């Protein structure tokens, strides 16, 4: 019933996604010039790639050149993008990925595909975190935050393996509550 729950909640969130899409569409020309959405290839279930969609919060570049160990380019975050990230509004469009079947609401966060391919070779157990659909939020995300580099990715992978071994309604509910508290308190922004 996890898939049915994912679909029901995503359908309930669609009006909110539409509302923010209209609002950001009106604000984008002034504070975040460029496309409304950002689409990036991520690694999903069974290590297959899929196109993850988010509201764009950074200036456009043709290709991501930073390695998995490099810090995120915070200088590229636009003024409106900072607000989008702080309020986690950029996490609404992935409900479209949930409806398509590429993602779940709760599960291991999907990594950028080229970085994930490197992690497959360098992080013990990384492949096993892809036996389930990736999630918009997950245990590693709420307990560890953003992972950067091999050591942090190993810790994230260990948390994801714990999630996969213990997945169920109770754990998903706990992660969902922690995610909502993060959004409400703007923790980690």
């Amino acid at each position: 019933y996890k898939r049915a729950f994912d679909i029901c909640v995503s359908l309930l969130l669609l009006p909110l996604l539409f509302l923010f899409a209209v609002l950001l569409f009106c604000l984008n020309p002034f504070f975040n010039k460029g496309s409304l959405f950002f689409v990036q290839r991520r690694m999903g279930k069974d290590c297959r790639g899929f196109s993850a969609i988010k509201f764009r919060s950074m200036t456009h570049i043709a290709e991501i050149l930073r390695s998995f160990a490099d810090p995120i380019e915070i200088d590229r975050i636009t003024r409106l993008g900072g607000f989008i990230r702080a309020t986690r509004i950029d996490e609404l469009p992935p409900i479209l990925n949930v409806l398509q079947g590429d993602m779940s609401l709760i599960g291991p966060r999907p990594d950028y595909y080229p970085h994930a391919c490197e992690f497959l070779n360098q992080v013990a157990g990384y492949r096993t975190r892809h036996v389930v659909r990736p999630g918009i939020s997950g245990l590693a995300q709420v307990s560890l935050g953003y992972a950067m580099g091999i050591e942090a990715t190993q810790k994230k992978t260990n948390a994801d393996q714990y999630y996969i071994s213990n997945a169920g309604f109770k754990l998903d509910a706990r992660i969902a509550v922690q995610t909502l508290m993060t959004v409400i308190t703007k923790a980690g922004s």
Side-chain angles (χ1 to χ4, degrees):
Y1 41 51
K2 180 176 172 113
R3 180 72 184 135
F5 180 80
D6 284 347
I7 291 170
C8 289
V9 171
S10 296
L11 289 173
L12 289 172
L13 289 172
L14 270 179
L16 191 60
L17 170 61
F18 180 74
L19 174 72
F20 279 112
V22 169
L23 178 65
L24 292 175
F25 181 78
C26 294
L27 294 174
N28 250 22
F30 305 104
F31 303 105
N32 197 18
K33 291 184 191 311
S35 63
L36 180 62
F37 295 104
F38 170 73
V39 178
Q40 185 180 66
R41 189 161 174 78
R42 301 278 178 104
M43 187 172 283
K45 187 174 184 214
D46 300 323
C47 298
R48 291 192 195 113
F50 72 98
S51 297
I53 184 169
K54 293 178 94 169
F55 285 127
R56 187 180 54 80
S57 62
M58 299 175 89
T59 56
H60 174 75
I61 57 171
E63 180 183 356
I64 294 176
L65 300 175
R66 72 177 182 88
S67 80
F68 60 81
D70 294 333
I72 195 161
E73 307 105 326
I74 57 172
D75 58 316
R76 290 186 39 232
I77 299 172
T78 66
R79 258 184 19 194
L80 182 58
F83 172 78
I84 290 169
R85 284 173 173 240
T87 57
R88 306 300 203 275
I89 294 169
D90 60 329
E91 300 297 345
L92 276 172
I95 66 170
L96 300 174
N97 291 114
V98 173
L99 292 172
Q100 283 181 280
D102 292 325
M103 292 182 74
S104 180
L105 294 173
I106 306 293
R109 287 280 291 180
D111 288 319
Y112 175 52
Y113 198 83
H115 292 175
C117 289
E118 291 187 46
F119 295 147
L120 286 171
N121 298 317
Q122 298 183 40
V123 177
Y126 188 79
R127 184 175 300 277
T128 61
R129 70 187 292 275
H130 296 92
V131 298
V132 297
R133 283 186 182 99
I136 294 175
S137 185
L139 179 61
Q141 185 182 18
V142 297
S143 60
L144 302 173
Y146 184 76
M148 186 174 60
I150 296 296
E151 188 177 322
T153 302
Q154 184 65 65
K155 289 178 183 174
K156 176 179 79 169
T157 298
N158 295 344
D160 291 335
Q161 289 174 335
Y162 175 87
Y163 169 78
I164 291 166
S165 297
N166 297 282
F169 179 77
K170 187 176 177 181
L171 182 56
D172 280 10
R174 190 180 100 208
I175 294 167
V177 168
Q178 285 181 279
T179 301
L180 286 174
M181 293 308 297
T182 299
V183 170
I184 291 167
T185 63
K186 294 184 179 146
S189 52

